[in-house]
Amino acid sequence: MSKIIPFKAVRPTRDKVSLVASRSYQSYTQAEREGRLDYNPYSFLHIVNPGYKYDKEISGVARYQLVKNRYLEFKEEGVFVQDETPCFYIYKIIDRKNQEFNGIVAAASVEDYISDVIKKHEDTISSREVVFKDYLKTVGFNAEPVLLTYPDNDVISSIIKKEQEHRAEYEFTTTFRDTHYLWKIESEDDVQAITDAFTEIDTLYIADGHHRSSSSHLLYQDLKSNNSKHKGTESYNYFMAYLIPESELRIHEFNRLITDLNGLTKEEFLIQLDTLYRIENRGAIPYKPSQKHHFSMYLDGEFYSLYLRKTGYAFKTSLDALDAQVLYSTILNPILGIEDLRNDSRINYISGIKEVVNMKSKVDSGDYKVGFGMVPVAMNELKTIADDGLKMPPKSTYIEPKLRNGITIYEF
């Protein structure tokens, strides 16, 4: 039984939402960030990059306090307003590829996270969790929801479709050519129906936002321990989530880029690969694998297909069958000497939404020696690994949709 509740979102006014909404700070180039900060006074980037006002890089606790100050200024100036009653929010995206995503922004229970009603499939880095927890505690809000997925549900779907017959509260198109829509669900009957529908769902899965949800858990522990009158209804008992049905989730792969061959010549490397893989040289023609346990490799100006010899590799757990784990266990670790996939500077990742020629160009530039591609993780794989209590290697999935920051804000 999952506990999903409505909340009073802080939101931009309708006339300014397209100006406020931003991608994650890290996704912009420096030139893009500066352009938005220079010419758009309403961009949410002004809040998360408060030092720009003083032409100074500011970090740590000092930055957190300035983030809070900028946020309060946006509220004082009427850029942000808070809804008077708790609502669910239907959020729809139609992207440039004409993919459509329909989900609900709501508050998810930290207790569900603790009890594994909300299941995880990726490991998190403790230091990042603590940093983000401290950030949340200082600024007092979260503007980027955790992406959760649930089995398709007729009740929830019918309410979403009914609400979408009315004019959207927001409708705007980004420079990425994605169109975003938002509707408020205020009707007590519909709010209760959605709440009840989620109580019938036994398990939710984190699709994207493992560090955000883990940091919310740490914040909950911190604030609860310091509140002698804790009741379990305080806002810190929940975190903001975007819940989307499994059928609308899109999972892409991350390709791997490696800087060197760990002291091996090209020929020595290929001979070692031959132990566990059937190798075919594809020449200059870009090759993208189409099934599990098949990999593409780009090395020295040529593409190769690698087919795993299953007689030499044992699938003992659901994780063992995951292609990202297969690649690590057979090549990256034993041959190329990469142990720490999160922190080793010799490995980098490029999302599979970019064409395989992007991997080629990265290697051709000389920054990397070899690149590997794989097929995306299937939804049933993600769920099975999470159900088994196992964790995928980092950067195993690139998941869509990607929401804009600053459209709905959850205050603690």
Side-chain angles (χ1 to χ4, degrees):
M1 184 175 95
S2 56
K3 187 174 184 180
I4 300 298
I5 66 170
F7 70 102
K8 299 177 184 179
V10 175
R11 303 184 290 112
T13 54
R14 181 183 285 176
D15 63 313
K16 294 184 176 64
V17 62
S18 63
L19 297 171
V20 170
S22 74
R23 305 198 309 271
S24 65
Y25 181 81
Q26 294 82 2
S27 69
Y28 292 97
T29 66
Q30 182 176 344
E32 287 175 329
R33 279 197 300 268
E34 290 179 354
R36 282 160 175 76
L37 290 165
D38 279 341
Y39 300 110
N40 180 3
Y42 300 111
S43 173
F44 194 74
L45 291 176
H46 282 286
I47 293 176
V48 296
N49 186 33
Y52 189 80
K53 181 177 181 179
Y54 304 105
D55 194 25
K56 182 179 180 180
E57 287 289 332
I58 302 173
S59 60
V61 177
R63 174 178 168 266
Y64 304 164
Q65 187 57 54
L66 286 178
V67 168
K68 182 176 183 178
N69 294 347
R70 295 292 86 74
Y71 172 67
L72 293 175
E73 287 172 6
F74 270 50
K75 291 183 72 175
E76 291 161 2
E77 293 168 2
V79 178
F80 286 143
V81 294
Q82 186 168 28
D83 287 318
E84 295 181 358
T85 58
C87 303
F88 287 122
Y89 303 88
I90 298 171
Y91 196 136
K92 174 180 175 179
I93 302 172
I94 300 177
D95 70 12
R96 67 175 77 182
K97 294 174 286 187
N98 210 35
Q99 295 180 124
E100 185 172 316
F101 307 96
N102 297 274
I104 292 177
V105 179
S109 168
V110 175
E111 288 288 349
D112 282 355
Y113 177 88
I114 296 170
S115 64
D116 218 28
V117 170
I118 297 175
K119 295 203 172 187
K120 311 89 180 165
H121 67 265
E122 275 191 11
D123 277 327
T124 52
I125 302 172
S126 297
S127 58
R128 285 185 60 191
E129 295 172 1
V130 173
V131 166
F132 194 53
K133 183 267 290 184
D134 292 341
Y135 170 83
L136 292 175
K137 189 175 182 180
T138 301
V139 303
F141 69 87
N142 191 359
E144 187 176 3
V146 173
L147 182 61
L148 300 179
T149 188
Y150 62 91
D152 288 47
N153 182 282
D154 290 340
V155 172
I156 299 172
S157 177
S158 64
I159 294 174
I160 288 175
K161 288 178 181 177
K162 181 183 70 173
E163 289 294 333
Q164 289 177 340
E165 294 174 357
H166 305 125
R167 182 193 179 191
E169 180 78 8
Y170 297 151
E171 178 181 352
F172 65 95
T173 300
T174 71
T175 53
F176 263 34
R177 299 180 183 176
D178 301 333
T179 303
H180 297 244
Y181 306 82
L182 183 135
W183 292 261
K184 290 170 58 177
I185 301 179
E186 300 179 272
S187 159
E188 290 184 9
D189 289 342
D190 287 341
V191 166
Q192 190 61 52
I194 290 173
T195 304
D196 292 344
F198 275 112
T199 64
E200 299 297 318
I201 296 174
D202 293 330
T203 306
L204 304 172
Y205 294 85
I206 299 176
D208 190 23
H210 283 80
H211 281 93
R212 275 169 274 149
S213 51
S214 179
S215 299
S216 295
H217 172 214
L218 293 181
L219 180 68
Y220 160 83
Q221 291 179 316
D222 195 337
L223 297 179
K224 178 183 177 182
S225 66
N226 288 291
N227 182 4
S228 61
K229 297 181 180 179
H230 173 81
K231 296 179 181 178
T233 57
E234 298 85 356
S235 57
Y236 60 74
N237 290 273
Y238 299 88
F239 59 90
M240 185 168 64
Y242 179 52
L243 298 109
I244 188 169
E246 291 174 6
S247 63
E248 294 193 25
L249 200 68
R250 299 291 178 266
I251 306 177
H252 305 277
E253 74 281 10
F254 267 105
N255 297 328
R256 274 67 172 142
L257 295 163
I258 315 298
T259 59
D260 60 76
L261 297 181
N262 198 27
L264 300 172
T265 64
K266 172 184 173 181
E267 291 73 22
E268 290 170 338
F269 176 59
L270 290 172
I271 289 170
Q272 290 205 30
L273 286 185
D274 195 78
T275 303
L276 284 176
Y277 289 90
R278 181 160 59 89
I279 306 171
E280 183 177 340
N281 189 324
R282 302 273 181 158
I285 301 173
Y287 168 72
K288 188 176 177 70
S290 59
Q291 58 183 290
K292 278 180 63 63
H293 311 323
H294 289 190
F295 301 88
S296 63
M297 180 175 75
Y298 184 70
L299 172 67
D300 197 24
E302 296 177 310
F303 284 93
Y304 295 81
S305 58
L306 307 179
Y307 300 159
L308 180 68
R309 301 183 193 276
K310 297 180 182 178
T311 54
Y313 183 84
F315 301 119
K316 296 179 180 178
T317 69
S318 56
L319 181 61
D320 292 333
L322 185 75
D323 280 346
Q325 183 68 24
V326 171
L327 190 66
Y328 173 74
S329 298
T330 60
I331 301 176
L332 301 185
N333 180 242
I335 299 177
L336 295 178
I338 293 174
E339 296 184 4
D340 187 346
L341 290 170
R342 292 188 180 279
N343 300 308
D344 196 317
S345 61
R346 296 172 56 225
I347 186 170
N348 205 349
Y349 304 89
I350 182 170
S351 67
I353 60 171
K354 299 182 178 179
E355 297 297 327
V356 70
V357 292
N358 285 70
M359 182 172 74
K360 175 183 183 299
S361 65
K362 294 284 187 181
V363 175
D364 288 344
S365 71
D367 292 335
Y368 301 95
K369 183 66 176 179
V370 62
F372 298 96
M374 64 194 84
V375 298
V377 174
M379 186 66 213
N380 67 313
E381 283 186 279
L382 185 153
K383 292 173 66 175
T384 300
I385 289 171
D387 289 343
D388 291 345
L390 302 171
K391 300 294 188 292
M392 295 182 185
K395 301 294 185 183
S396 291
T397 58
Y398 180 91
I399 294 180
E400 293 181 305
K402 299 292 185 188
L403 275 65
R404 295 284 164 139
N405 294 342
I407 296 179
T408 58
I409 298 172
Y410 183 81
E411 291 190 339
F412 301 107

